[in-house]
């Protein structure tokens, strides 16, 4: 199925959702209620194939979509940026229709991390010291908490719900 046909089919479904205008920086897949991209395609999704991640349902975000969920700013003391901001993980999961309390996260380098939304208030950081996180800044996203900045993954790009 072509990508365009898949998007058109999604747009006509009851579960259709906003489609990113900018580059996708985060994919949430698995047990979710909202879908805005076609299922995993081995030919198209080479990076997901490399990480052995397939999915039938996915909701993708660009940076603008993430920041439209609300931005929380935290001040940290460590050998890096002092002000980190982005939406709360629970708000990102809710936007994708994920009701799980613990999710599996994946970074670009293959680092996997289980994030428990009841144990900590996680921030999906999109900016550090006001600047958008880039790949060279260990971006596109960080998963952080105010108390344990280094606990979650840098270079976050994928969350599996359920």
């Amino acid at each position: 199925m072509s990508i365009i046909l898949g998007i058109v089919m999604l747009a006509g479904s009851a579960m259709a959702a906003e489609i990113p205008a900018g580059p996708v920086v985060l994919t949430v897949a698995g047990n979710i209620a909202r879908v805005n991209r076609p299922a995993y395609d081995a030919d198209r999704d080479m990076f997901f194939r490399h990480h052995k991640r397939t999915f039938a349902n996915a909701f993708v975000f660009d940076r603008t979509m993430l920041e439209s969920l609300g931005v929380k700013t935290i001040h940290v003391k460590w050998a890096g940026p002092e002000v980190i901001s982005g939406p709360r993980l629970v708000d990102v999961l809710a936007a994708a229709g994920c009701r799980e309390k613990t999710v599996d996260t994946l970074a670009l380098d293959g680092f996997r991390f289980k994030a428990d939304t009841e144990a900590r208030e996680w921030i999906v950081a999109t900016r550090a010291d006001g600047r958008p996180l880039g790949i060279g800044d260990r971006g596109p996203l960080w998963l952080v908490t105010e108390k344990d900045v280094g606990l979650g993954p840098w270079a976050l790009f994928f969350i599996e719900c359920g």
Side-chain angles (χ1 to χ4, degrees):
M1 168 179 355
S2 76
I3 294 170
I4 294 173
L5 178 59
I7 290 172
V8 169
M9 289 175 62
L10 285 172
S13 78
M15 295 174 64
E18 181 179 358
I19 296 178
V24 170
V25 293
L26 180 65
T27 300
V28 179
N31 185 18
I32 58 176
R34 298 184 71 208
V35 175
N36 68 351
R37 72 148 279 174
Y40 167 82
D41 178 317
D43 293 327
R44 174 181 174 230
D45 295 320
M46 291 178 276
F47 201 70
F48 290 118
R49 184 176 66 205
H50 170 77
H51 285 286
K52 298 179 175 79
R53 296 296 190 153
T54 63
F55 46 84
N57 299 316
F59 191 94
V60 294
F61 295 88
D62 63 16
R63 192 177 310 274
T64 301
M65 290 169 66
L66 286 171
E67 291 175 347
S68 75
L69 299 174
V71 173
K72 177 168 175 122
T73 299
I74 58 174
H75 298 270
V76 294
K77 295 197 182 302
W78 67 305
E82 294 180 6
V83 179
I84 298 171
S85 61
R88 297 178 323 140
L89 176 60
V90 293
D91 294 334
V92 173
L93 297 176
C98 173
R99 291 186 171 87
E100 303 293 327
K101 301 299 180 201
T102 302
V103 293
D104 190 28
T105 68
L106 181 64
L108 293 171
D109 66 359
F111 179 74
R112 292 179 62 187
F113 181 80
K114 294 265 187 204
D116 182 340
T117 62
E118 292 183 324
R120 290 184 164 79
E121 183 177 30
W122 294 101
I123 305 300
V124 178
T126 58
R127 297 176 183 269
D129 288 339
R131 292 185 9 247
L133 293 168
I135 300 300
D137 296 324
R138 297 174 284 188
L141 307 169
W142 298 349
L143 187 62
V144 298
T145 68
E146 196 161 7
K147 294 180 182 174
D148 299 309
V149 145
L151 182 62
W154 309 111
L156 174 69
F157 79 101
F158 184 80
I159 298 174
E160 187 164 0
C161 183

